[in-house]
Amino acid sequence: LKFSATSEDIAITDLRLKMDITGSSTNANYDAVYIYDGATLIKTMPTFNSDGFLDVTFNTSGAGSFVIPKDASKLMTIKADLASIGVNQNGVGGQLLGIDVSNTGYTTKQKGQGTASGNSVVIETHSNTNGNGVRTFRGLPKVTLDSTLSGSAIAGSQDLIRFNVEALGGDIKIN
């Protein structure tokens, strides 16, 4: 997420995230959500509530804060641990998952505070974000060229190319 500040440094105090339910994801598809300022982890949150929202509060300074410098922009990174995929697991193979900034309740859930003035400000752009999301799979195929094939063309039927397929992370089916 990209934030910008103009008149003074702004500390984000409240942020509402929501599951992107385009792919019918549920809160059970997420084990935890992490919020970063650059490479620094500033917040670890449990999964979304049953309505698909995750309300995050930040400190105004120090550890656990996200401060945007005056007349500048800053990126916030959202990461998540996804549920395991398999029998009796919450994850669903092929599921499309995503996280958006919610435009629901933006006047109370999307706020910042001026670090010099102490004034509370509502985050101005409060529309949903558009992203591609991520598809989850239990296993993936790794295809490599088999280099044992050698020789020259002679009359008759011959192999032209061979490859190996390795299942990574779990069983896969190739049709």
Side-chain angles (χ1 to χ4, degrees):
L1 303 174
K2 183 177 181 180
F3 294 91
S4 299
T6 53
S7 300
E8 63 180 309
D9 293 358
I10 301 291
I12 300 299
T13 57
D14 298 275
L15 182 66
R16 174 172 267 192
L17 302 174
K18 74 170 192 164
M19 289 182 300
D20 181 345
I21 56 171
T22 304
S24 300
S25 58
T26 69
N27 60 341
N29 296 127
Y30 299 87
D31 287 340
V33 176
Y34 305 94
I35 300 176
Y36 288 83
D37 179 352
T40 304
L41 176 65
I42 57 173
K43 208 70 166 163
T44 300
M45 300 296 295
T47 189
F48 297 86
N49 67 25
S50 60
D51 293 328
F53 295 110
L54 180 61
D55 292 327
V56 185
T57 57
F58 298 92
N59 296 331
T60 55
S61 64
S65 66
F66 188 83
V67 179
I68 305 118
K70 175 186 175 186
D71 297 324
S73 295
K74 193 172 187 181
L75 294 177
M76 176 186 285
T77 302
I78 312 292
K79 297 181 182 184
D81 285 341
L82 304 178
S84 297
I85 298 172
V87 177
N88 297 321
Q89 300 292 325
N90 288 327
V92 177
Q95 182 73 52
L96 178 61
L97 304 175
I99 299 174
D100 290 337
V101 173
S102 173
N103 65 353
T104 303
Y106 69 88
T107 57
T108 58
K109 301 296 183 180
Q110 314 290 22
K111 294 191 304 186
Q113 180 178 322
T115 59
S117 68
N119 292 336
S120 183
V121 293
V122 174
I123 296 173
E124 234 177 78
T125 303
H126 47 79
S127 60
N128 288 338
T129 58
N130 291 319
N132 295 328
V134 62
R135 273 207 199 273
T136 59
F137 296 95
R138 182 174 177 195
L140 296 171
K142 177 182 178 184
V143 180
T144 55
L145 186 61
D146 183 344
S147 60
T148 61
L149 201 64
S150 64
S152 56
I154 56 174
S157 177
Q158 299 178 36
D159 291 338
L160 295 176
I161 190 170
R162 287 187 193 147
F163 56 91
N164 298 311
V165 179
E166 178 184 1
L168 301 176
D171 293 342
I172 59 170
K173 179 180 178 182
I174 299 176
N175 293 328

